[in-house]
Amino acid sequence: AGPQLSRDSGRRRANFDRLLNKHEAFLRAHPSMHATLVLRQAYAMYHLGQHREAFVGMCKGMRLHPRHGASKIAAFVWKKLFRGEGP
């Protein structure tokens, strides 16, 4: 079994912030990777039913790297609408 994602939003947020702080220099140098990380977290929150937090994460990912963020979000929407995947 892989690492688990806590359902406790406060704990999950603190752990995610710790991860961002730990790798701050790398993420600043690679904004598309930073956007991917934030968008993956938003995707996980969406699947946990935390839609407000997912929306905030999606917006942050778009601000970090608009073109990369838009392509990731479009891929998610494509899968959900046209392939019937997702909840």
Side-chain angles (χ1 to χ4, degrees), residues 65-80:
H65 198 285
R67 186 175 33 156
H68 187 72
S71 70
K72 292 288 186 186
I73 292 168
F76 172 74
V77 170
W78 180 266
K79 284 181 185 178
K80 186 151 178 73

Side-chain angles (χ1 to χ4, degrees), residues 9-41:
S9 62
R11 177 180 287 167
R12 187 178 52 256
R13 183 79 221 160
N15 288 337
F16 188 66
D17 289 342
R18 189 176 311 122
L19 176 75
L20 293 178
N21 289 334
K22 180 179 179 182
H23 300 290
E24 182 179 6
F26 174 80
L27 294 172
R28 229 178 319 161
H30 303 280
S32 65
M33 183 61 74
H34 192 178
T36 298
L37 185 63
V38 169
L39 289 168
R40 285 183 179 171
Q41 177 72 3

Side-chain angles (χ1 to χ4, degrees), residues 3-16 41 43-51 53-54 87:
Q4 295 182 359
L5 186 63
S6 174
R7 287 192 180 271
D8 178 4
S9 62
R11 177 180 287 167
R12 187 178 52 256
R13 183 79 221 160
N15 288 337
F16 188 66
Q41 177 72 3
Y43 182 78
M45 287 188 280
Y46 176 82
H47 284 288
L48 288 173
Q50 298 175 345
H51 298 206
E53 292 86 354

